[in-house]
Amino acid sequence: MVDPSVLAGTRLFSALPPDAVAEVAGHAVERHLGRNDVLFREGETAADIYVVTSGRIAIANRSPDGRESLVALMGPGDLFGEMSMFDEQGRSADARALEPSTVVVVPFGPVRRAVDARPETLWSMVALLVERLRAADEALADTVFLDVPGRTAKRLLELAGEADEFQLPITQEELAGMVGASRERVNKAISQFVRLGWLTQTDRRYTIVDRIQLTRRAR
Ligand code: CMP
C-alpha cells in the first residue's frame, strides 16, 4: 500500500474518484533504485506503471552499437510505463535511474479494472499520450530545423527551468544523447556559449548569464 495522493497527483489517475485511486494504491509497492539501476529494458514484457517519488529516471533508446538517445527525463510526480499497458507490445524504451531514486510500482491489472469500470477516465489517459506525442513531434522538428548549438541551447534552457544557476542532472554523454549529437559537438556548442559570455560552466554546474541570447539561439 502506498499513499494514494502520489497516484492522484498524476494526470493518468487524476480522473479516477478517490476510492478507485485508493483501491489501485492498495496494490502498489515502493521500489528503491541506486544510480544506474535498470528498471526495465526496451522490448521486455511489461506488467507495471511507475510513478517517481524521488530522484530521476532516464527513458532511453539504444542503437545496436550501444549509443543512447535520451527520450525523456522523469522526475518526482512523473508517470511512465503506461504505453505498453495499452498496446501490449513490450517496453518502448529502457528506464534507468540517473541517481538514487524511489518509484511507486503500480500493476496494470488494477488500473485496467478501474478504467473498465469508468471508461470516461480514458480521456485523461489519452491526454497524457497526446502530451508525449506533441513533445516527440517538437523534438523531431528540432532535429530538422535546429542545428546542434540550437538544440543544445534549447535542452540547457529546458533543464534549467526558471533557475539561472543549475546543476546538470545528467552526464555530458547523456546530454549529447538528449540533443541527438556527438559529445564532441555538444561540448563545442557549450564552449562557444561560454566564450560568447552567455553561460559559465564548472563540471556539472551551469550559470546562465545571458538568457535572452541563449533563448534566441534555441529558436
Ligand atoms: P512503456 O513503453 O511501457 O515503457 C517505456 C516508457 O517510456 C513508455 O511506456 C512511456 O511511459 C515512456 N516514454 C516513451 N516514449 C516517450 C516519450 N517520447 N516521451 C515521454 N515518455 C516516453
Side-chain angles (χ1 to χ4, degrees):
M1 173 79 186
V2 300
D3 182 353
S5 67
V6 173
L7 304 187
T10 65
R11 200 204 287 256
L12 196 86
F13 293 112
S14 62
L16 289 175
D19 59 327
V21 177
E23 159 70 18
V24 173
H27 296 274
V29 292
E30 239 183 13
R31 184 160 162 199
H32 301 281
L33 302 161
R35 177 170 157 76
N36 280 329
D37 278 358
V38 173
L39 208 44
F40 54 74
R41 292 252 180 235
E42 187 176 341
E44 272 177 22
T45 305
D48 305 287
I49 286 174
Y50 298 90
V51 180
V52 184
T53 50
S54 69
R56 251 173 229 271
I57 309 291
I59 304 293
N61 288 124
R62 206 167 270 285
S63 68
D65 63 2
R67 283 173 302 150
E68 195 181 58
S69 163
L70 274 199
V71 176
L73 282 182
M74 300 291 171
D78 289 335
L79 177 149
F80 62 95
E82 80 296 345
M83 282 169 53
S84 39
M85 181 178 75
F86 291 107
D87 68 3
E88 298 182 352
Q89 297 290 302
R91 296 297 185 191
S92 61
D94 296 352
R96 172 171 64 82
L98 291 172
E99 55 192 76
S101 304
T102 307
V103 292
V104 167
V105 187
V106 189
F108 289 164
V111 181
R112 286 196 176 116
R113 285 197 294 278
V115 176
D116 281 347
R118 303 163 195 81
E120 70 279 7
T121 54
L122 276 173
W123 281 102
S124 60
M125 302 208 172
V126 172
L128 175 78
L129 296 175
V130 170
E131 187 180 291
R132 302 225 198 280
L133 183 60
R134 281 181 187 272
D137 283 351
E138 191 176 333
L140 188 64
D142 287 349
T143 60
V144 176
F145 300 130
L146 291 179
D147 57 8
V148 172
R151 299 205 299 271
T152 305
K154 188 163 179 176
R155 290 299 180 199
L156 286 175
L157 286 164
E158 280 168 10
L159 290 164
E162 307 273 286
D164 282 335
E165 283 183 32
F166 65 103
Q167 177 140 359
L168 207 65
I170 49 180
T171 63
Q172 293 266 342
E173 191 77 46
E174 288 160 348
L175 176 66
M178 261 184 121
V179 170
S182 67
R183 190 156 66 103
E184 292 69 28
R185 291 180 71 198
V186 172
N187 278 346
K188 215 170 127 194
I190 292 171
S191 308
Q192 194 185 34
F193 300 152
V194 170
R195 252 197 331 273
L196 288 165
W198 300 353
L199 201 67
T200 64
Q201 183 223 342
T202 317
D203 300 322
R204 284 194 188 189
R205 290 216 67 80
Y206 287 72
T207 304
I208 298 173
V209 181
D210 194 336
R211 190 175 275 269
I212 292 172
Q213 292 293 349
L214 204 60
T215 306
R216 244 181 229 149
R217 192 63 184 83
R219 282 200 197 112

